[in-house]
């Protein structure tokens, strides 16, 4: 190829919207040489969709400023399944505003404006963007054109889409024929060649308030969310998934089924479980507890608060202080004159269980014969999540982890990790989740402790175990905690959404910090390796995931009411209660609807409450010592002998069947 060729010369297919040049994403207008390695990027690929969504965000911002020139620009990154842009405007966007923005976007898309990149100096950018205070702040954060180190920090808040590259760039939206510049924005790119390629597979979704750069100390901006897809059909499919997800929203189902609530009197992110929700939660925990005991775990229990020194030792106060509740200063004594006669101490609500488990390990001498030592706890922890990030049971401030810490010798690490991973799969299948893939989170050099050799060895071990599982393995560069790499089990639910559930994480830091030792077979004192294993994540979040996975229609063993009796008329209540009493004696959760409602309404009420089995009894049933079965899907089986009915119900519970 000649030295003057661009991506447009190399790729003529309309589906190719960008390219990778020596591994880096570039616009098709970029000039490449014959020594460059060039790969096409299709619009339907993950990279292509990000570029499409980023370009759609630009068009949305252009539309907003075409309607309201005084609107100040924040940032507009692509996100999972869509994009957003933040604006500083005098009043929040109304539905009418969004309709007008939508129309303006349509005009810009149809016009086919070109995205045109140009490199600028920091001084030139400041002059050009003098009326955009948030862009000026980003330029200042970047510190000129030296971007490598800053890009890492900025990327955590999505600002890397603006100034994360090696040089400052501005993208102009220009007329394809005349070259007239319609609008410009600070951006690292790349973008689509033309706004026309955004097509008709996009939609604006909702508005929200958001603090600038994610900090409550900053001004609150107005955010518009949108979604964009390569085709209209893909957009429709996505919208259908959203509609189904809305029906399954655990917050909605939790209220309808009377499972849990968040009383304002208690505080944000702090849930209470109602009787029916408490039954489901207990069943989740009981099954997990059975599995733990059957697989060699020892159950432990630790307090909810601790002296701050413990988290200084574990370094959580260094790395996780912002995620912890403020300290409580206790035990201080003061005399009548106000003089301190006894120094107090800071106590913290615990955000993690692991430091206390280390103290249990350290409570007495340990021998290699005791290893692996598996300590497990349903430990309640408290994390100071920002109010804007709280979301039902999936993001709370008080949560109970099914937390486990396994202490092993160096030689046991690989086998134990493999064993833990299989334990995770088997247990999740018991709850009805069967579709998994794995994610390997590796070191962030800026936020980690330990040597390169420790990290490399630990990462290689996890990678080998993950690959041996035969499941898809996805890389998560820089996603590990500060103390070691981890494998995350990602599970897909009934409508194809992905949830991060279980984690298996190596830790070579805490055993050293806590001076943990065991006596090896040769009599020497050696340091164990610590494995963190959280299978469900948190009980609260897992409850929400299962509630949405089953859309509230839990398998029989998890259902808070497993059988409800519905008499055809009042005179059959006593007979039906005799049947229910036999079930109750065998541990089945039963109710009798003895209300004054007519039978069709009773059936409807039981159906809305998603009770697995409705037992209906009338004259023929009583005469023949039988009942009629009615199921969730509406079909009915009549004249089932009582003993046979009892056996069927017990079998459904024992086998964890979904009916």
């Amino acid at each position: 190829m000649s030295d003057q060729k661009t991506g447009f010369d190399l790729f003529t297919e309309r589906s190719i919207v960008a390219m990778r040049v020596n591994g880096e994403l570039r616009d098709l207008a970029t000039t490449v040489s014959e020594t460059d390695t060039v790969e096409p990027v299709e619009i339907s690929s993950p990279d292509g969709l990000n570029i499409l969504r980023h370009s759609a965000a630009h068009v949305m911002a252009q539309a907003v400023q075409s309607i309201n020139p005084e609107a100040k620009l924040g940032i507009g990154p692509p996100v999972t399944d869509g994009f957003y842009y933040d604006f500083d405007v005098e009043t929040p966007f109304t539905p009418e505003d969004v309709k007008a923005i939508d129309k303006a976007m349509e005009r810009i898309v149809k016009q086919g404006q070109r995205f045109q990149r140009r490199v600028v100096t920091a001084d030139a950018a400041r002059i050009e963007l003098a009326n955009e205070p948030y862009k000026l702040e980003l330029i200042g954060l970047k510190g000129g054109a030296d971007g490598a180190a800053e890009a890492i920090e900025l990327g955590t808040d999505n600002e890397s889409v603006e100034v994360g590259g090696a040089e400052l760039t501005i993208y102009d939206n220009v007329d394809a024929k005349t070259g007239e510049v319609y609008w410009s924005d600070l951006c690292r790119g790349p973008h689509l060649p033309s706004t026309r390629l955004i097509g008709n597979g996009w939609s604006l979704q909702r508005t929200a308030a958001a603090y600038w750069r994610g900090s409550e100390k900053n001004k609150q901006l107005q955010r518009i969310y949108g979604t964009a897809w390569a085709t209209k059909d893909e957009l429709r499919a996505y919208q259908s998934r959203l509609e189904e997800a809305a029906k399954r929203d655990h917050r909605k189902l939790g209220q309808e089924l009377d499972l849990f609530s968040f009383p304002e009197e208690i505080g944000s992110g702090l849930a209470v479980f109602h009787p029916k929700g408490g039954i489901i939660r207990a069943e989740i925990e009981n099954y997990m507890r059975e599995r733990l005991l059957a697989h060699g775990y020892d159950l432990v229990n630790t307090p909810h608060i601790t002296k701050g020194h413990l988290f200084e030792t574990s370094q959580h106060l260094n790395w996780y202080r912002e995620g912890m509740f403020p300290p409580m200063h206790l035990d201080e004594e003061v005399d009548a004159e106000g003089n301190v006669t006894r120094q107090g101490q800071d106590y913290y609500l615990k955000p993690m269980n692991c430091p206390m488990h280390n103290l249990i390990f350290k409570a007495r001498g340990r021998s290699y014969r005791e290893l692996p030592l598996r300590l497990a706890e349903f430990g309640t922890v408290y994390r100071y999540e920002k109010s804007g990030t709280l979301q039902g049971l999936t993001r709370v401030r008080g949560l109970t982890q099914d937390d486990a810490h396994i202490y092993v010798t160096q030689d046991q690490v690989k086998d134990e990790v493999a064993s833990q991973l299989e334990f995770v799969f088997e247990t999740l299948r018991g709850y009805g989740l069967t579709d998994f893939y794995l994610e390997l989170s590796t070191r962030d050099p800026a936020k980690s402790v330990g040597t390169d050799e420790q990290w490399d060895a630990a990462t290689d071990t996890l990678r080998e175990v993950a690959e041996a599982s035969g499941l898809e393995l996805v890389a998560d560069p820089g996603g590990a905690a500060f103390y070691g790499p981890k494998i995350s089990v990602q599970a897909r639910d009934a409508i194809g959404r992905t949830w991060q559930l279980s984690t298996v994480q190596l830790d070579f830091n805490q055993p050293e910090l806590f001076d943990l030792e065991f006596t090896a077979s040769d009599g020497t004192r050696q340091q164990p390796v610590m494995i963190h294993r959280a299978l469900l994540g948190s009980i609260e979040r897992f409850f929400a995931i299962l509630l949405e996975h089953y859309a509230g229609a839990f398998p029989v063993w998890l259902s808070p009411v497993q059988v409800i009796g519905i008499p055809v008329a009042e005179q059959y209540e006593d007979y039906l209660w005799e049947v229910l009493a036999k079930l109750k004696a065998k541990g089945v959760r039963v109710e009798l609807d003895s209300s004054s409602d007519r039978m069709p309404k009773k059936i409807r009420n039981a159906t809305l409450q998603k009770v697995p089995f409705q037992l209906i009894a009338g004259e023929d049933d009583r005469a023949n010592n039988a009942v009629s079965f009615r199921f969730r899907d509406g079909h009915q089986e009549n004249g089932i002998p009582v003993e046979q009915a009892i056996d069927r119900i017990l079998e459904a519970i024992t086998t964890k069947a979904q009916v």
Side-chain angles (χ1 to χ4, degrees), residues 139-315:
I139 295 169
L141 286 170
K142 183 176 176 60
D146 180 16
E150 292 292 345
I152 295 172
E153 179 181 353
L154 291 167
T156 60
D157 290 324
N158 287 321
E159 293 104 343
S160 63
V161 299
E162 311 280 339
V163 294
E167 53 194 1
L168 278 178
T169 55
I170 286 177
Y171 272 79
D172 300 316
N173 283 25
V174 305
D175 188 286
K177 294 181 180 178
T178 67
E180 178 186 354
V181 177
Y182 292 114
W183 185 79
S184 302
D185 193 10
L186 181 72
C187 183
R188 68 179 296 184
H191 280 284
L192 301 175
S194 166
T195 60
R196 188 172 285 115
L197 290 173
I198 295 174
N200 58 6
W202 61 273
S203 175
L204 299 186
Q205 295 175 292
R206 60 188 176 92
T207 61
Y211 291 105
W212 168 238
R213 303 192 67 226
S215 172
E216 295 175 356
K217 298 176 183 178
N218 294 332
K219 186 171 183 179
Q220 193 174 73
L221 306 182
Q222 297 301 310
R223 176 174 295 181
I224 303 178
Y225 285 95
T227 187
W229 299 83
T231 67
K232 186 74 170 180
D233 287 344
E234 290 176 66
L235 172 64
R236 290 193 182 110
Y238 171 70
Q239 290 171 330
S240 295
R241 292 197 298 273
L242 286 184
E243 291 173 6
E244 180 59 31
K247 295 175 187 175
R248 294 170 177 258
D249 190 316
H250 73 276
R251 293 164 295 187
K252 171 177 171 286
L253 291 172
Q255 183 175 9
E256 292 174 354
L257 301 177
D258 191 22
L259 303 179
F260 60 86
S261 61
F262 289 88
E264 182 62 32
E265 296 87 342
I266 295 178
S268 300
L270 300 168
V272 295
F273 284 79
H274 301 187
K276 290 182 179 179
I279 289 171
I280 298 168
R281 179 174 177 142
E283 290 289 356
I284 290 172
E285 293 184 7
N286 289 342
Y287 177 63
M288 185 69 198
R289 196 171 283 110
E290 290 173 11
R291 297 278 301 159
L292 290 169
L293 293 174
H295 284 76
Y297 282 85
D298 294 311
L299 300 182
V300 299
N301 191 265
T302 59
H304 293 208
I305 63 172
T306 176
K307 295 177 182 177
H309 179 69
L310 181 65
F311 291 119
E312 291 174 359
T313 302
S314 68
Q315 296 193 356

Side-chain angles (χ1 to χ4, degrees), residues 391-583:
Q391 189 171 19
L393 292 176
T394 60
R395 195 77 177 263
V396 292
R397 287 175 169 169
L399 57 143
T400 301
Q401 293 181 306
D402 68 306
D403 215 357
H405 298 93
I406 302 102
Y407 302 87
V408 297
T409 68
Q410 188 65 51
D411 293 341
Q412 293 170 333
V413 171
K414 186 173 181 179
D415 287 345
E416 185 64 21
V417 170
S419 173
Q420 288 299 319
L421 208 53
E422 187 55 37
F423 174 71
V424 164
F425 296 146
E426 290 178 1
T427 305
L428 291 178
R429 290 186 187 109
Y431 290 111
L433 297 167
T434 58
D435 188 2
F436 312 119
Y437 70 91
L438 302 178
E439 188 173 83
L440 178 60
S441 299
T442 52
R443 185 182 194 182
D444 179 351
K447 298 178 181 179
S448 60
V449 295
T451 66
D452 292 344
E453 291 76 14
Q454 287 175 317
W455 276 89
D456 290 346
T459 302
D460 288 344
T461 297
L462 292 187
R463 183 179 290 107
E464 289 172 12
V465 172
E467 290 174 347
S469 73
L471 294 176
E472 176 189 1
L473 180 62
V474 176
D476 176 29
F482 66 89
Y483 47 75
K486 71 176 177 183
I487 295 174
S488 302
V489 177
Q490 312 284 332
R492 297 181 181 91
D493 67 11
I495 58 174
R497 296 172 302 178
T498 298
W499 301 88
Q500 178 178 305
L501 287 177
S502 313
T503 57
V504 178
Q505 186 153 8
L506 293 184
D507 187 342
F508 30 77
N509 182 49
Q510 287 205 38
E512 181 177 346
L513 294 175
F514 282 85
D515 296 321
L516 303 185
E517 291 182 334
F518 66 92
T519 302
S521 58
D522 61 1
T524 61
R525 306 291 294 171
Q526 296 186 16
Q527 182 177 294
V529 176
M530 184 177 181
I531 300 172
H532 301 251
R533 197 277 297 137
L535 199 152
L536 307 180
S538 78
I539 301 299
E540 291 77 8
R541 184 170 176 271
F542 191 68
F543 186 109
I545 292 169
L546 286 186
L547 182 54
E548 296 195 7
H549 175 63
Y550 289 115
F554 287 102
V556 188
W557 72 281
L558 279 173
S559 295
V561 178
Q562 295 167 321
V563 179
I564 188 166
I566 299 176
V568 172
E570 185 178 352
Q571 61 263 37
Y572 304 112
E573 286 183 9
D574 290 344
Y575 168 72
L576 197 48
W577 181 246
E578 290 177 8
V579 177
L580 296 177
K582 292 179 181 179
L583 286 164

Side-chain angles (χ1 to χ4, degrees), residues 75-152:
I75 60 172
V79 293
T80 302
D81 294 337
F83 59 90
Y84 69 78
Y85 214 113
D86 291 337
F87 303 94
D88 187 353
V89 289
E90 289 187 2
T91 58
F93 293 108
T94 66
E96 290 72 24
D97 293 333
V98 174
K99 288 180 182 177
I101 295 165
D102 190 285
K103 291 294 184 185
M105 287 182 67
E106 286 182 0
R107 290 193 294 271
I108 296 168
V109 169
K110 289 178 181 177
Q111 191 176 355
Q113 298 176 14
R114 284 191 291 112
F115 290 94
Q116 190 166 285
R117 179 181 184 268
R118 56 188 168 94
V119 179
V120 293
T121 65
D123 289 340
R126 289 188 183 98
I127 293 171
E128 184 169 346
L129 300 170
N131 292 323
E132 295 288 357
Y134 302 102
K135 302 295 183 180
L136 294 178
E137 182 177 333
L138 294 179
I139 295 169
L141 286 170
K142 183 176 176 60
D146 180 16
E150 292 292 345
I152 295 172

Side-chain angles (χ1 to χ4, degrees), residues 595-614:
S595 68
S596 60
D597 292 331
R598 295 172 64 85
M599 191 179 78
K601 186 174 182 181
K602 292 181 179 182
I603 290 173
R604 174 171 169 74
N605 290 341
T607 301
L608 290 175
Q609 287 297 303
K610 304 181 187 294
V611 179
F613 296 111
Q614 300 173 34

